[in-house]
């Protein structure tokens, strides 16, 4: 038997997506309303949401910090994996996104489990206490990822989860001669993440590549 991984193709993604729990009508409506409101459709993929939910459940997570709310899609998905007294604190810099997310979170089945912290994550994260979260999910401006990682390692308790989206740099990770700031930032971030001794992590090929690590 070979220990070599097989390449994951679009067909594999479609295959696995068909074999995990689908998003519900509420999340589909949220996406349609966000698109109608001119909010960019850069939320996580449904199969990635399912994966995050499985991880949070397996870890028995109660307290989650998210960097990058957008329309509230991933915050709602993650909150659904928490117990009734669990909480997602999600940080959003753009007032229009925060307002939209608050409106849809209030209409969701997990309204009491999500708090939108409006502001720049660079200013909000330092206010969150050491070891106060069971999991962090980073999904905001790519140039900020390195600093957000340092805070998440501090905020997540030992044994908790540190997760980050877009490890494949929007599919452009291996693009030759890319001078795009966000692509360069993701490459540097991936190396930084891999070097952190307190993190036992791996990039999982779901969505645009999702970092998952246990904080040791
Ligand atoms: C990719 S979207 C988040 C998608 C969301 N996690 C989901 O899957 O539903 C990134 C969000 O991060 C926000 N953002 C960008 N820079 C930020 C910063 N410095 N602090 C907080 N939020 C930021 C953007 O306004 C945008 O709404």
């Amino acid at each position: 038997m070979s220990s070599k991984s097989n390449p994951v193709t679009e067909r594999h993604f479609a295959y696995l997506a068909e074999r995990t729990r689908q998003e519900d009508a509420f999340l589909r409506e949220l996406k349609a309303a966000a698109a109608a409101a001119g909010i960019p459709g850069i939320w996580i993929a449904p199969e990635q949401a399912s994966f995050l939910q499985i991880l949070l459940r397996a870890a028995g997570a109660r307290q989650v910090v998210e960097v990058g709310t957008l329309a509230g899609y991933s915050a709602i998905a993650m909150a659904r994996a928490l117990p009734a007294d669990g909480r997602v604190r999600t940080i959003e810099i753009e007032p229009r996104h925060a307002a939209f997310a608050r409106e849809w979170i209030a209409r969701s089945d997990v309204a009491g489990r999500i708090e939108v912290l409006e502001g720049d994550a660079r200013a909000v994260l330092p206010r969150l206490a050491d070891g106060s979260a069971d999991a962090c999910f980073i999904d905001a401006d790519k140039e900020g990822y390195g600093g957000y990682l340092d805070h998440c390692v501090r905020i997540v308790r030992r044994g908790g989860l540190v997760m980050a989206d877009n490890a494949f740099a929007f599919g452009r990770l291996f693009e030759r001669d890319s001078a795009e700031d966000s692509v360069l930032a993701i490459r540097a971030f991936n190396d930084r993440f891999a070097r952190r001794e307190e993190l036992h992590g791996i990039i999982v090929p779901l969505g645009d590549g999702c970092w998952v690590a246990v904080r040791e």
Side-chain angles (χ1 to χ4, degrees), residues 95-147:
R96 206 167 59 87
H97 296 175
F100 182 96
R102 283 192 177 115
E103 184 192 327
W104 278 78
I105 287 164
R107 293 162 61 175
S108 78
D109 54 320
V110 283
R113 286 183 220 165
I114 306 175
E115 186 184 356
V116 178
L117 307 177
E118 194 172 326
D120 187 337
R122 289 167 180 78
V124 177
L125 283 169
R127 300 205 298 262
L128 306 185
D130 296 4
S132 64
D134 302 299
C136 258
F137 178 51
I138 303 171
D139 189 18
D141 59 306
K142 309 313 159 196
E143 292 80 358
Y145 264 38

Side-chain angles (χ1 to χ4, degrees), residues 67-97:
V67 188
T69 314
L70 190 68
Y73 182 94
S74 54
I76 292 170
M78 290 193 290
R80 285 175 169 172
L82 306 184
D85 63 348
R87 190 165 60 138
V88 176
R89 289 172 287 175
T90 178
I91 307 169
E92 176 54 54
I93 198 171
E94 180 63 56
R96 206 167 59 87
H97 296 175

